Amino acid sequence: MTSHTDHIRTQLIEFCATIGKNPLLVQGAGGNVSWKNKDTLWIKASGTWLAEANQRDIFVPVNLQPLQQAIQQNDFSVTPQLVGTYELKPSIETLLHALMPQPIVVHLHAIEILAQLVRANCENTLKTVIDHSISWILVDYHKPGQELANAIHEELIRKPNVQVVFMRNHGVVIGASSIQEITAILTLLTSALQVPVSQSINAQHAMISKRTEYTPIQDDSLHELAIDPHLFDRLAHDWALYPDHVVFLGPQAHTYSNWQQFDADVSANSHDKPELIFIRDEGVFVMPSFQVAKQVQLRCYLDVLKRQSIDTTLISLTHSQIAELLNWDAEKYRMHLLRETAQ
Ligand SMILES: [Zn+2]
């Protein structure tokens, strides 16, 4: 490895560790980063956390040329081949990174950007506020993996060499030739799309679970989801806003007017008790199995909702989009990894 590629690697590891610790940019194992070095694409491994980039090796090398050839032939079913033996698998978004022409590619679910991309009118906002020095496209929602890569590839044929790909109900991809350029674009986007955050309603009482199998969620700010009536309404109508939220937290929110309604629902349906429940005016409660990776996803959701006005129309994923996400093998693998690391 030359000193130049060493330098890029060092810079990128530092970049990943920094953004990985900012919950407004990265949530848990979400987001991924890659760089291209001749015939090799170095890509974040599935299930690893960007925040851990300077503590463990989160990148794996894959053969770039076969991927690019497959993409040219519109074959998005190609499986990325690792260069060497690794226990980790390359990110499920490897094709997306391979098809971007720039040497460095960063994909994030940055809150200020995501909060716009779940809105019905996001295209108008992007046209109005994004600096003309940036070339960008907006793509509709597609299932992450093959379908998303295919859709972005088609858009890039029409408009090659864009620096920024906005993905509705998902996040952003930024391509550039240097980490400085990536940082500059990311800063520009997040500040241009920033909106005021709604004031917090603090709980007036200590959170007490009234059922032994549940405890109050540890991140106190999350109780606002049950205490603010507007946020509580969003739980029912605007839950499935983007893929990671559904994959980690399930297809719908389990909301109850009170504990009695929760009891009635559990005995009527005799299903497994949900791991995460929202009791109106009481708080958010979880079972002990509820992991930190899920809690950071719920924090992401709160951060997205707190950037919406009461009357903002949001677009949720459809039932079929939710179903295809939950039956997805690659995501099951990711969840499997998650369970393993939690043990
Ligand atoms: Zn993503």
Side-chain angles (χ1 to χ4, degrees):
M1 194 180 285
T2 67
S3 62
H4 175 65
T5 55
D6 271 345
H7 182 60
I8 291 174
R9 188 190 184 94
T10 308
Q11 271 193 322
L12 269 169
I13 286 172
E14 204 49 50
F15 171 77
C16 293
T18 305
I19 63 167
K21 289 179 181 70
N22 182 347
L24 292 181
L25 294 177
V26 174
Q27 305 78 31
N32 36 63
V33 170
S34 73
W35 78 96
K36 299 176 184 84
N37 178 29
K38 294 178 187 152
D39 288 341
T40 305
L41 173 76
W42 287 86
I43 176 92
K44 196 199 81 154
S46 182
T48 60
W49 291 37
L50 288 172
E52 295 178 342
N54 55 3
Q55 295 158 34
R56 56 183 289 216
D57 213 353
I58 64 164
F59 291 101
V60 289
V62 300
N63 266 321
L64 181 57
Q65 232 182 6
L67 291 184
Q68 289 175 329
Q69 273 168 3
I71 290 165
Q72 271 176 10
Q73 292 159 8
N74 281 320
D75 172 16
F76 290 87
S77 62
V78 61
T79 304
Q81 299 300 324
L82 285 165
V83 183
T85 310
Y86 290 82
E87 276 183 28
L88 296 165
K89 285 187 179 180
S91 162
I92 47 147
E93 300 295 14
T94 299
L95 275 179
L96 188 157
H97 286 257
L99 68 85
M100 292 290 285
Q102 295 90 350
I104 299 173
V105 177
V106 172
H107 161 49
L108 299 174
H109 312 139
I111 299 292
E112 305 292 1
I113 303 171
L114 180 57
Q116 299 286 349
L117 294 173
V118 298
R119 295 184 185 183
N121 68 349
C122 69
E123 188 164 14
N124 285 341
T125 307
L126 296 176
K127 283 179 178 166
T128 311
V129 305
I130 300 298
D131 191 294
H132 291 298
S133 66
I134 295 194
S135 60
W136 58 271
I137 52 170
L138 171 67
V139 296
D140 286 341
Y141 174 81
H142 293 273
K143 186 171 116 174
Q146 284 181 33
E147 289 168 26
L148 181 59
N150 197 347
I152 292 176
H153 178 62
E154 280 176 22
E155 292 292 329
L156 290 183
I157 290 170
R158 278 190 277 277
K159 194 174 176 183
N161 294 317
V162 297
Q163 299 159 290
V164 176
V165 180
F166 292 108
M167 302 176 292
R168 284 186 196 268
N169 292 92
H170 188 153
V172 67
V173 180
I174 303 171
S177 53
S178 71
I179 200 72
Q180 288 81 3
E181 203 184 330
I182 295 271
T183 305
I185 295 172
L186 182 60
T187 306
L188 206 146
L189 296 182
T190 50
S191 54
L193 294 170
Q194 195 171 17
V195 291
V197 178
S198 67
Q199 238 188 337
S200 294
I201 297 179
N202 290 320
Q204 297 298 307
H205 55 277
M207 294 301 156
I208 298 168
S209 172
K210 294 178 182 159
R211 299 296 176 271
T212 51
E213 58 275 60
Y214 290 93
T215 55
I217 198 160
Q218 284 196 346
D219 180 346
D220 283 343
S221 60
L222 292 175
H223 292 297
E224 205 180 340
L225 287 165
I227 289 162
D228 181 324
H230 301 300
L231 294 181
F232 191 82
D233 281 350
R234 293 276 193 198
L235 294 173
H237 303 112
D238 297 311
W239 174 256
L241 293 178
Y242 42 88
D244 271 11
H245 182 78
V246 172
V247 168
F248 281 86
L249 299 174
Q252 82 273 323
H254 297 277
T255 60
Y256 306 94
S257 304
N258 47 50
W259 286 103
Q260 289 71 27
Q261 197 205 2
F262 165 74
D263 291 336
D265 183 74
V266 167
S267 59
N269 294 309
S270 70
H271 52 59
D272 286 344
K273 287 181 185 171
E275 199 181 26
L276 164 69
I277 58 173
F278 303 86
I279 313 279
R280 184 188 278 273
D281 294 332
E282 295 264 348
V284 181
F285 301 91
V286 294
M287 286 188 168
S289 57
F290 193 78
Q291 300 155 0
V292 67
K294 294 181 178 182
Q295 189 173 292
V296 297
Q297 279 303 324
L298 195 59
R299 180 57 196 255
C300 173
Y301 179 71
L302 174 69
D303 287 335
V304 166
L305 289 192
K306 282 179 69 70
R307 283 161 176 77
Q308 313 301 337
S309 305
I310 293 168
D311 57 355
T312 307
T313 304
L314 305 184
I315 304 289
S316 296
L317 302 184
T318 64
H319 288 309
S320 60
Q321 287 167 341
I322 292 170
E324 67 179 8
L325 274 173
L326 294 174
N327 291 326
W328 187 24
D329 282 351
E331 280 299 344
K332 277 184 185 162
Y333 166 76
R334 201 147 72 105
M335 295 305 287
H336 173 74
L337 265 187
L338 184 73
R339 281 194 295 274
E340 287 208 328
T341 49
Q343 280 166 5

